[in-house]
């Protein structure tokens, strides 16, 4: 076997997504040498394909929109939504640093915050989107890291965290294509490998209750949980792995040979969801992970059909790189999906559609009829589940469509347990010397910052923020700087 290439650095970062790049920037700013090892050919991770939305409290964009917000109000919303398993110290830490240590910090790197929007569970608008979504945000972070002399070694997958006694001393890595090996010696290692929702086996291991249902993989291609395995082998403690954030407006990707991956689709506002019994079961306007997902999970079997007519489908957007160029939706590709997916049925009448999706026609037709009646009467909300009807229309333009939807595992709210300095803890809650974790690998921050439900923007935001914290303290571990203190929102 050829000898491994040897590399020496202060900090070895595993992964080049939001957390990895933030860690690298912080480490370089403290004067430490930092190299990010990335298994994919290109840097960016899931962060670069994300919506680019971060929960920010007290931002200029909120003020421009007349929104009064405070850390206390945000923390209150966070606890109400996330429940008893929220890591309260980390939640506070993030909320109270989101303005200076994320919003203004990112602006200083060239990021432009474009707009702010409302998301379920928040009492005010906080979901703050960067220009060109995750692509815009990550392009600046990658440039900032490289611009500071940081190096990204692509096509290099970490396969082991090296330990001497109780101390981490570096990593071993391999080029997945060529098998070329790399041996890295470092004073600190930052694990920033993202989540595990593109590894169905791991999802079902964490949620054995879902083994008998079809569940789809729904994160970025690198979210395979490989960092979780490395940390466990090094003695780290993993926590709250069953806290998986599911979305339901997703259908299997028929182009995926294993058909494990799901495609999220949006902008079909007038649609309704019916279960296999032909009945609606939820207010479709509440489509989030804390409302729609439990509603779909309660159906037997655990899937539904999104029903629309042709007029409703004209704006349909598929959140997948194959179906879009930047923010432009490639309509021909969407048509290709509608024509070819075995999970999408089309018929000239509702009775025919009922037959194709195997639901009882009279029940199904009755469901649509009641909905149509509510629209026709000009009601503000339909009476059954309270869906606002302002963006609805009559089901009257055949052909009609039925898109089969299943739960899609999108984000991991549990992961590697760390302390407030992002030091990885063992099962006794003692830090493992030289080992740090940040981002979705660490349940977005600390192990379980969101608890059981997220206010949105509370994945990418905390991933980047905890990356900075990890980078600062890893630099200090290697003899550079005093760790991360940042600047709190409060004066
Ligand atoms: C489509 C989509 C949209 C989203 N939109 C939003 C949003 O708008 N707002 C929000 O808050 N959250 C959003 N999220 C979630 C958010 O993007 C992630 O939680 C966040 O990007 C996690 O950042 P990270 O740096 O921890 O991981 P990632 O960005 O996933 O980066 C991890 C990197 O590590 C690499 N890696 C993994 N294992 C190894 C290994 N062994 N060796 C070397 N490299 C390795 C991976 O290839 C990857 O590049 C979205 C998620 C998806 C899937």
């Amino acid at each position: 076997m050829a000898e491994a290439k040897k590399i020496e650095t202060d900090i070895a970062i595993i992964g080049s997504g939001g957390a990895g790049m933030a860690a690298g920037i912080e480490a370089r700013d403290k004067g430490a040498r930092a190299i990010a090892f990335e298994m994919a050919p290109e840097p960016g991770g899931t962060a670069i394909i994300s919506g680019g939305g971060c929960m920010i409290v007290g931002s200029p964009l909120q003020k421009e929109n007349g929104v009064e917000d405070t850390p206390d109000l945000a923390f209150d919303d966070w606890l109400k939504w996330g429940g008893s398993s929220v890591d309260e110290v980390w939640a506070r830490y993030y909320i109270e640093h989101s303005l200076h240590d994320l919003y203004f910090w990112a602006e200083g790197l060239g990021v432009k915050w474009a707009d702010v929007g409302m998301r379920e569970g928040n009492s005010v608008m906080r979901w703050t989107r960067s220009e060109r979504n995750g692509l815009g945000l990550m392009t600046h972070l990658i440039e900032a890291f490289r611009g500071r002399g940081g190096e990204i070694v692509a096509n290099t997958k970490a396969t082991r965290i090296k330990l001497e006694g109780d101390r981490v001393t570096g990593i071993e890595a391999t080029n997945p294509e060529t098998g070329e090996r790399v041996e890295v010696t470092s004073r600190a290692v930052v694990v920033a490998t993202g989540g595990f929702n593109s590894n169905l086996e791991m999802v079902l291991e964490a949620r054995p209750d879902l083994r008998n249902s079809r569940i789809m993989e729904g994160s970025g291609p690198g979210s395979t949980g490989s960092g979780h395995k490395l940390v466990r082998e090094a003695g780290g403690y993993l926590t709250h792995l069953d806290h998986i954030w599911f979305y339901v407006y997703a259908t299997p990707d028929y182009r995926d040979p294993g058909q494990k991956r799901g495609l999220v689709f949006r902008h079909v506002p007038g649609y309704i969801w019916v279960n296999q019994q032909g009945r609606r079961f939820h207010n479709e306007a509440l489509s989030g992970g804390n409302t729609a997902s439990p509603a779909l999970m309660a159906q037997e079997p655990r899937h539904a059909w999104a029903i629309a007519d042709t007029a409703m489908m004209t704006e349909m957007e598929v959140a997948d790189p194959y179906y879009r160029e930047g923010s432009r939706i490639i309509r021909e590709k969407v048509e290709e999906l509608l024509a070819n997916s075995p999970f999408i049925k089309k018929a000239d009448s509702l009775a025919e559609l009922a037959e194709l999706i195997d639901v009882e026609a009279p029940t199904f037709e009755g469901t649509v009829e009641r909905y149509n009646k509510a629209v026709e009467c000009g009601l503000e909300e339909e009476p059954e589940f309270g869906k606002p009807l302002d963006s609805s229309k009559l089901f009257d333009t055949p052909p009609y469509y039925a898109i089969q939807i299943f739960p899609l595992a999108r984000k991991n709210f549990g992961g590697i347990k760390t302390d407030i300095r992002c030091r990885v803890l063992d099962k006794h809650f003692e830090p493992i010397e030289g080992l740090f974790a940040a981002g979705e690998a660490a349940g977005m921050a600390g192990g379980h910052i969101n608890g059981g439900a997220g206010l949105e923007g509370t994945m990418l935001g905390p991933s980047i923020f905890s990356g900075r914290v990890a980078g600062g303290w890893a630099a200090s571990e290697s003899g550079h700087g005093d760790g991360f203190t940042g600047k709190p929102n409060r004066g």
Side-chain angles (χ1 to χ4, degrees), residues 13-21 37-40 42-55 127 138 156-159 192-195 218-227 230 247 266 319 410-412 438-442 444 456-464:
I13 299 166
I14 315 177
S16 67
M21 290 299 89
F37 296 90
E38 170 55 57
M39 68 180 182
E42 298 292 336
T46 302
I48 207 164
I49 59 161
S50 76
C54 295
M55 195 247 227
W127 193 83
M138 284 309 296
T156 304
K157 177 177 180 177
T159 51
T193 47
S219 187
S223 304
T224 58
S226 68
L230 299 181
Y247 292 146
R266 300 194 186 96
R410 193 63 144 186
K411 295 156 188 175
N412 288 106
E440 194 163 343
M444 311 300 176
E456 296 298 343
T458 55
M459 302 96 189
L460 189 58
S463 289
I464 293 172

Side-chain angles (χ1 to χ4, degrees), residues 104-178:
F104 289 132
W105 173 81
E107 265 190 352
L109 303 176
V111 173
K112 285 207 167 56
W113 296 106
D115 43 44
V116 61
M118 190 69 184
R119 289 293 181 275
E120 284 176 26
N122 291 278
S123 45
V124 296
M125 296 197 292
R126 301 188 175 105
W127 193 83
T128 314
R129 190 181 64 86
S130 62
E131 203 172 75
R132 292 191 302 141
N133 303 354
L135 178 63
L137 182 61
M138 284 309 296
T139 301
H140 289 294
L141 262 60
I142 293 165
E143 276 172 12
F145 178 54
R146 286 187 167 140
R148 285 163 166 74
E151 195 187 336
I152 302 173
V153 181
N155 289 314
T156 304
K157 177 177 180 177
T159 51
R160 195 168 85 84
I161 293 168
K162 296 192 298 177
L163 279 159
E164 268 173 34
D166 291 337
R167 180 160 233 311
V168 165
T169 57
I171 60 168
E172 286 173 7
T174 309
N175 181 317
E177 297 288 317
T178 63

Side-chain angles (χ1 to χ4, degrees), residues 120 246-251 264-297 299 303-308 312-313 357 359 363-364 367-368 370-371 382 384-385 387 392 395 401-407:
E120 284 176 26
F246 290 94
Y247 292 146
V248 301
Y249 40 92
T251 189
V264 161
F265 63 95
R266 300 194 186 96
H267 296 181
V268 194
Y271 67 6
I272 55 171
W273 300 340
V274 300
N275 60 18
Q276 200 55 50
Q277 291 74 43
R279 296 195 174 88
R280 286 179 66 226
F281 54 91
H282 182 65
N283 166 3
E284 296 86 353
L286 293 176
S287 58
N290 210 20
T291 48
S293 302
L296 181 69
M297 293 280 191
Q299 302 310 305
H303 69 237
W305 297 91
I307 310 295
M312 295 174 194
M313 298 288 278
I357 64 176
V359 299
T363 313
F364 176 66
T367 299
V368 178
R370 281 195 300 283
Y371 189 82
E382 57 74 30
E384 270 182 282
F385 297 95
K387 180 185 174 190
S392 288
F395 282 81
Y401 288 88
I403 306 175
Q404 198 168 16
I405 57 176
F406 298 89

Side-chain angles (χ1 to χ4, degrees), residues 369-381 383 389 394:
E369 211 171 285
R370 281 195 300 283
Y371 189 82
N372 267 354
K373 195 157 270 169
V375 175
E376 218 163 27
C377 294
L379 300 182
E380 272 178 28
E381 287 179 356
L389 294 174
L394 288 174

